Every structure is written in structure tokens, then in C-alpha cells.
């Protein structure tokens, strides 16, 4: 009994969790605030259109590309050590980014921020597994960690707007400096160190292959979401998958691989990764289409759309926080499956609604959708971390993060492409529309709305109504498909995790 009580976390660990959660909150803030700052920095640095895209995207690409490497590196040199190195690098890069004097300089510093961010995400999650050995406490700690990330995405626009109202665009980067200073000062005292002393040096070729597979794959998927299926996007995706195949083959041959494929031998680990990937795919596709629906079908301004998106963000937070408490009474498989069925109903509410109800039904449906996914997000991550050996928690954490990144990119690309195909099939441009405007209107909803601005009022109204109806048709098809997938994941949860009892912890 004394050993069991000794394994439970105390005040020091919970305070340490708060410190660990701050970088997670900051990473999410950094994803969202820069979009608001872009017009301001563009007026100052005058980047080209290509440079603007790289300023926005390079950060996420670097994080995704280095997650696996940094997760394994933390296992080998020490998770706290890597976290503190990453915090220092992130703080320095933030200062340099804030005072960048050219677009090229900002792109480079954003890339360094992404690499530093890749050290923070798996390190924080792996340290949670060290600090919270009791399964009940670990699930709660993971839910707090995830809530911080979700909250960062929600409050990012508001925080960025306040900073840009009173300060220059570089202030959005300086926000990270005090957070990293706090981590550097308190980390050595609050956070434990863990290092696998038997591990050897990283294999440089594996590092290159890991980055070389993920970067073109995610880049290709994001390009599909923006431009549709194209030769370049398909080529990049194929290149990424091919390099990924070589990466896996090399790991099988190495005595000390960058990624231990033996982790996939744990049943709960493999199925949880798959479910997390599929869940992120559905959420990514929904958020991508729902933001367009609010602005271009309901006619809301960006600020109004942001406010209407806050309820489903709150629903996500509720689902994440409730999951560990409910998991003490119900098996994880039942809880995940029940949540996904609720999500399925929520998605159907979003896509099929009586317009006389206004925004009430779709917003309520979005809340149910994100709230129902909460147990999947928390409990699958807990299963991933809990089923991996302690010495490989960093690698397991990086795989869970990579699965989420890939899932979101896939959701935007795949679900966005399906919606676009349906839109183009349903969009019948009326006669009398100039060829250039007709071609634009037949492409995407955004292009149709822009084309309508150049037409006489009567034709503009007709084009907008037709385009909105075509988009709604595509959204409905994606919603039906996503609801079926949610039910399928629920079935997988019941079948693959049926032996997972309620989380009891060490009482």
C-alpha cells in the first residue's frame, strides 16, 4: 500500500504540470496569432506571395517533420534536458523573429521556432508519463495538457488582436519569451529527468529519411486543400510515402533504430494511433469546411465567425476534461464509442438543419461533435503513453503527435477535396455569365463569391445562391461520410479495446 501511495503524484508534480502546459498553450497561440499579424508584417517587410505562404507554413512543417526525431532524442539524452534546450532555443528565436528586418530572416527564424517547438511537444507529454505513474492521475494530467492546447487555439485570435491593437507585429513573438524563461527557471526544480542509458547515438540517415518523408507528405496534403488535386501535390505525396517506406525498412534493419517499430506490437498502442489519426482527420475536415460555411453561406464576418466557433471549442474542452472522470467508472472502449456516436449525431445536426432555426441547430451540433471526440483524444493518448515501455515514452509521444498532425492534414485535404468535387458537379452556372466569371464560379465557393462581386446585382445574387447550395451539398456528403467513419471508429474501439477496464488508479 505504501508503494502504491508513493507512486501517486503530489503537489510538486501538479505544479510541474502547470509549467509543462504553458509551452503547449504557447505553441497553439503561435499557430493562430500570426494569421492576424500577417497584414501588419507584410506592410513592413513586404514579402512576396510565396514568402507569405512560407512565413505561415514553415513553422508547422518543421514541427511535424522533427517530432519523431525529437521524441526519440529526448529518450536518449534526457527528456528534461531536451525540453530546456528547446525552451532556450524557442525564446532566442522568438526575439530574433520579433525584430526581423526582412521576409527571408523571418522565414528562417520561423523554421527555427518550428524545430524548437518539435522538442517541446513530445518532451512535455513524455515527462507527464514520468511524473504521473498512477493511471487515473495520468489521464487527468493528459486532459489538462490537451485543454491548454485547445484553449490556445481558441484565445489566440483575441490575444493577437489585443497585442496588435497596442503594439507592433513583433509583439506576437515576444509573448513566448517570459513563458520560456519561467520554464527554464522552474524546470530543473519541478521536473524529473529521465534518460535511457542503454540508447546509442541517433542514426543521421534515419533522421533525414524521417524528415524527408513527413515534410513533402504534409506539404502535398496541404497543397491539395488549397489548390485541389494537382500534379505537384500528388508528386509530393508520393515522394513522401516512398521515403517513408525506405525509412521503415531501415528501422527494421538497425539494431538501435530511430523509431522502434516494436512499439506497434502493443495492441492498445497500434489501435489507439489509428483511432487518433481517424478522429483528427474528421475534426480537421469539419473545421476546414465549417469556417467556410459560417462566412460564405451564413454571411458572417471573420470576427462573427470566430465568436460562433467558440461554443464548439468549449464543447471540446468539456469533453476532454470529462473523459478521465468518466473513465473511472466506465471502460475506455465504451466511453470512446459512446462519445463518437454522439459526435456522429452532432455532425448530422450541422449538415441538416431547418433554416428557420437559424444558427442554433448547427452550433449545437458542432458542440456535440467536438465534445464527443474528447474521450477519444484523451483516452487514446493515455493508452498510447501507458502501453509503451517507460524508456520509449518519448518516441510514443512523438508518434501520437505525428498521428494528430497527419490526421488534421489528411482531413483538410481529403474532406476538402471531396467537398470540392461535389461542389463542381452541382454548380450549374446560368447563361449570360462572362466566361472568366463562370470559370471561377465553377471552381470553388470562395472563387464564386469573388466573381459575384464583379457582376450586376441580379446575376451576383443568383451566382451566390447557386454556389452556396452547391457548397452545402458538398458539406452534406462530407458530413454523411464522416458520420459513417465515426460509427466505424466506435466499432473499432469496442473491438480493439474491449479488455480495457475503467481507470482505477492506485487508491
Amino acid at each position: 500500500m505504501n508503494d502504491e501511495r508513493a507512486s501517486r503524484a503530489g503537489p510538486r508534480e501538479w505544479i510541474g504540470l502547470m509549467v509543462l502546459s504553458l509551452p503547449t498553450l504557447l505553441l497553439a497561440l503561435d499557430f493562430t496569432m500570426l494569421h492576424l499579424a500577417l497584414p501588419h508584417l507584410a506592410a513592413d517587410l513586404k514579402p512576396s506571395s510565396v514568402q507569405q505562404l512560407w512565413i505561415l507554413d514553415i513553422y508547422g512543417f518543421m514541427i511535424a517533420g522533427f517530432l519523431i526525431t525529437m521524441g526519440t532524442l529526448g529518450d536518449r539524452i534526457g527528456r528534461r534536458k531536451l525540453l530546456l534546450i528547446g525552451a532556450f532555443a524557442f525564446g532566442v528565436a522568438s526575439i530574433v523573429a520579433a525584430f526581423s528586418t526582412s521576409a527571408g530572416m523571418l522565414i528562417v527564424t520561423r523554421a527555427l521556432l518550428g524545430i524548437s517547438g518539435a522538442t517541446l511537444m513530445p518532451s512535455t507529454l513524455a515527462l507527464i508519463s514520468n511524473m504521473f505513474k498512477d493511471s487515473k492521475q495520468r489521464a487527468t494530467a493528459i486532459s489538462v495538457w490537451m485543454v491548454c492546447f485547445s484553449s490556445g487555439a481558441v484565445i489566440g485570435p483575441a490575444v493577437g488582436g489585443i497585442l496588435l491593437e497596442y503594439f507592433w507585429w513583433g509583439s506576437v513573438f515576444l509573448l513566448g519569451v517570459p513563458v520560456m524563461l519561467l520554464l527554464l527557471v522552474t524546470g530543473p526544480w519541478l521536473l524529473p529527468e529521465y534518460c535511457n542509458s542503454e540508447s546509442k547515438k541517433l542514426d543521421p540517415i534515419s533522421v533525414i529519411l524521417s524528415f524527408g518523408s513527413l515534410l513533402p507528405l504534409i506539404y502535398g496534403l496541404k497543397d491539395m486543400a488549397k489548390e485541389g488535386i494537382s500534379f505537384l501535390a500528388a508528386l509530393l505525396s508520393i515522394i513522401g510515402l516512398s521515403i517513408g517506406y525506405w525509412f521503415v525498412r531501415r528501422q527494421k534493419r538497425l539494431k538501435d533504430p530511430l523509431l522502434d517499430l516494436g512499439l506497434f506490437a502493443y495492441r492498445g498502442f497500434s489501435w489507439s494511433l489509428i483511432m487518433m489519426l481517424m478522429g483528427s482527420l474528421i475534426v480537421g475536415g469539419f473545421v476546414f469546411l465549417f469556417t467556410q460555411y459560417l462566412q460564405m453561406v451564413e454571411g458572417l464576418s471573420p470576427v462573427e465567425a470566430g465568436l460562433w466557433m467558440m461554443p464548439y471549442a468549449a464543447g471540446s474542452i468539456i469533453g476532454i476534461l470529462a473523459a478521465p472522470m468518466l473513465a473511472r467508472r466506465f471502460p475506455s472502449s465504451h466511453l470512446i464509442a459512446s462519445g463518437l456516436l454522439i459526435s456522429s449525431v452532432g455532425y448530422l445536426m450541422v449538415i441538416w438543419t431547418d433554416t428557420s432555426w437559424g444558427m442554433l441547430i448547427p452550433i449545437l451540433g458542432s458542440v456535440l461533435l467536438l465534445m464527443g471526440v474528447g474521450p477519444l483524444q484523451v483516452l487514446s493518448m493515455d493508452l498510447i503513453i501507458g502501453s509503451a515501455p517507460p524508456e520509449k515514452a518519448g518516441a510514443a509521444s512523438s508518434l501520437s503527435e505525428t498521428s494528430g498532425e497527419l490526421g488534421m492534414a489528411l482531413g483538410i485535404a481529403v474532406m476538402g477535396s471531396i467537398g470540392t468535387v461535389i461542389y463542381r458537379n452541382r454548380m450549374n452556372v446560368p447563361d449570360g455569365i462572362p466566361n472568366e466569371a463562370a470559370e471561377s464560379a465553377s471552381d470553388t465557393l470562395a472563387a464564386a463569391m469573388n466573381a459575384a462581386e464583379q457582376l450586376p446585382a441580379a446575376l451576383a445574387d443568383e451566382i451566390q445562391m447557386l454556389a452556396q447550395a452547391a457548397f452545402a451539398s458538398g458539406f452534406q456528403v462530407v458530413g454523411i461520410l464522416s458520420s459513417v467513419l465515426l460509427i466505424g471508429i466506435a466499432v473499432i474501439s469496442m473491438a480493439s479495446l474491449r479488455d480495457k477496464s475503467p481507470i482505477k488508479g492506485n487508491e
Side-chain angles (χ1 to χ4, degrees):
M1 180 66 69
N2 290 335
D3 290 340
E4 291 178 349
R5 289 180 178 176
S7 69
R8 291 177 61 81
R12 180 176 177 178
E13 284 77 16
W14 289 108
I15 296 172
L17 174 64
M18 296 299 102
V19 175
L20 282 177
S21 298
L22 285 175
T24 307
L25 176 67
L26 179 66
L27 291 174
L29 283 171
D30 205 81
F31 270 115
T32 55
M33 288 194 300
L34 191 64
H35 288 81
L36 288 175
L38 186 62
H40 301 268
L41 69 87
D44 187 13
L45 303 181
K46 296 179 173 54
S48 66
S49 58
V50 174
Q51 286 177 321
Q52 287 188 38
L53 291 176
W54 278 111
I55 289 172
L56 291 173
D57 292 339
I58 192 67
Y59 176 75
F61 289 152
M62 292 297 106
I63 286 182
F66 279 100
L67 276 174
I68 292 176
T69 297
M70 295 305 180
T72 304
L73 182 61
D75 290 340
R76 300 188 180 194
I77 70 170
R79 294 164 188 166
R80 185 182 68 188
K81 181 179 180 180
L82 181 64
L83 177 66
L84 296 180
I85 292 173
F88 176 79
F90 196 97
V92 172
S94 297
I95 295 173
V96 177
F99 295 97
S100 293
T101 56
S102 67
M105 182 178 176
L106 183 56
I107 291 171
V108 171
T109 52
R110 285 279 291 170
L112 294 175
L113 282 169
I115 296 172
S116 304
T119 69
L120 300 175
M121 296 178 73
S123 295
T124 54
L125 193 53
L127 282 170
I128 286 174
S129 72
N130 296 137
M131 297 160 61
F132 299 92
K133 300 184 184 301
D134 175 80
S135 58
K136 178 172 63 175
Q137 291 186 321
R138 186 179 64 240
T140 301
I142 289 174
S143 70
V144 171
W145 182 85
M146 294 187 69
V147 162
C148 285
F149 191 84
S150 300
S151 300
V154 174
I155 68 175
V159 173
I162 293 172
L163 289 174
L164 293 169
E165 180 72 21
Y166 297 101
F167 306 101
W168 93 113
W169 59 264
S171 62
V172 301
F173 294 107
L174 293 181
L175 189 65
V177 176
V179 172
M180 295 308 164
L181 281 175
L182 178 64
L183 180 57
L184 288 169
V185 171
T186 61
W189 174 60
L190 290 172
L191 306 177
E193 182 58 288
Y194 185 93
C195 177
N196 184 4
S197 58
E198 298 181 359
S199 293
K200 300 178 182 178
K201 294 182 179 179
L202 290 178
D203 174 44
I205 297 178
S206 294
V207 173
I208 295 171
L209 290 175
S210 171
F211 181 77
S213 62
L214 288 171
L215 181 60
L217 177 59
I218 293 178
Y219 188 97
L221 291 173
K222 288 194 172 185
D223 189 68
M224 286 184 193
K226 293 177 181 178
E227 308 294 339
I229 298 176
S230 64
F231 174 77
L232 176 61
L235 178 62
L236 288 171
S237 300
I238 292 171
I239 290 173
L241 291 172
S242 300
I243 297 176
Y245 172 74
W246 294 336
F247 171 77
V248 171
R249 290 198 60 180
R250 183 170 181 82
Q251 303 317 293
K252 290 180 178 180
R253 297 196 304 266
L254 293 175
K255 291 183 179 179
D256 197 31
L258 177 67
L259 176 62
D260 186 358
L261 299 179
L263 287 170
F264 293 93
Y266 299 97
R267 182 181 179 188
F269 180 90
S270 300
W271 282 113
S272 295
L273 273 180
I274 292 172
M275 291 190 297
M276 180 174 287
L277 175 72
M278 297 302 296
S280 298
L281 184 153
I282 292 169
V283 171
F286 169 76
V287 172
F288 176 71
L289 293 172
F290 194 55
T291 52
Q292 296 181 64
Y293 170 82
L294 291 176
Q295 294 183 70
M296 289 182 279
V297 176
E298 293 294 337
L300 303 180
S301 68
V303 174
E304 291 171 331
L307 291 175
W308 279 110
M309 291 166 68
M310 291 184 71
Y312 81 61
S316 175
I317 292 172
I318 292 171
I320 289 170
L321 287 176
M325 293 184 288
L326 294 173
R328 299 171 193 172
R329 304 188 56 161
F330 305 101
S332 297
S333 58
H334 293 184
L335 188 55
I336 291 173
S338 299
L340 292 175
L341 293 178
I342 292 173
S343 294
S344 178
V345 173
Y347 214 142
L348 294 177
M349 290 174 63
V350 172
I351 61 174
W352 275 316
T353 178
D354 187 343
T355 55
S356 63
W357 286 80
M359 292 294 298
L360 177 62
I361 297 301
I363 294 301
L364 179 58
S366 71
V367 172
L368 293 177
L369 169 60
L370 272 295
M371 185 170 64
V373 174
L376 168 66
Q377 294 174 317
V378 175
L379 299 179
S380 60
M381 186 169 289
D382 180 59
L383 288 169
I384 290 169
I385 302 302
S387 61
E391 66 273 12
K392 298 175 182 176
S397 302
S398 67
L399 281 172
S400 69
E401 294 292 339
T402 302
S403 177
E405 289 283 339
L406 280 175
M408 293 295 287
L410 276 170
I412 294 172
V414 175
M415 297 304 182
S417 296
I418 292 173
T420 299
V421 169
I422 301 300
Y423 172 89
R424 291 171 179 172
N425 287 334
R426 298 291 177 87
M427 182 60 182
N428 296 315
V429 180
D431 296 332
I433 304 296
N435 290 336
E436 184 177 351
E439 185 176 345
S440 297
S442 300
D443 190 28
T444 63
L445 174 61
M449 303 302 280
N450 289 332
E453 294 178 357
Q454 313 300 322
L455 298 174
L459 287 177
D461 291 341
E462 186 176 5
I463 284 289
Q464 289 177 351
M465 290 179 60
L466 290 171
Q468 290 168 345
F471 178 85
S473 297
F475 197 7
Q476 287 177 353
V477 172
V478 170
I480 295 170
L481 177 60
S482 297
S483 295
V484 172
L485 286 175
L486 286 166
I487 295 172
I489 303 170
V491 173
I492 291 174
S493 170
M494 293 296 294
S496 61
L497 306 178
R498 60 180 180 272
D499 55 339
K500 300 295 179 183
S501 59
I503 296 176
K504 300 291 186 183
N506 297 323
E507 302 293 352

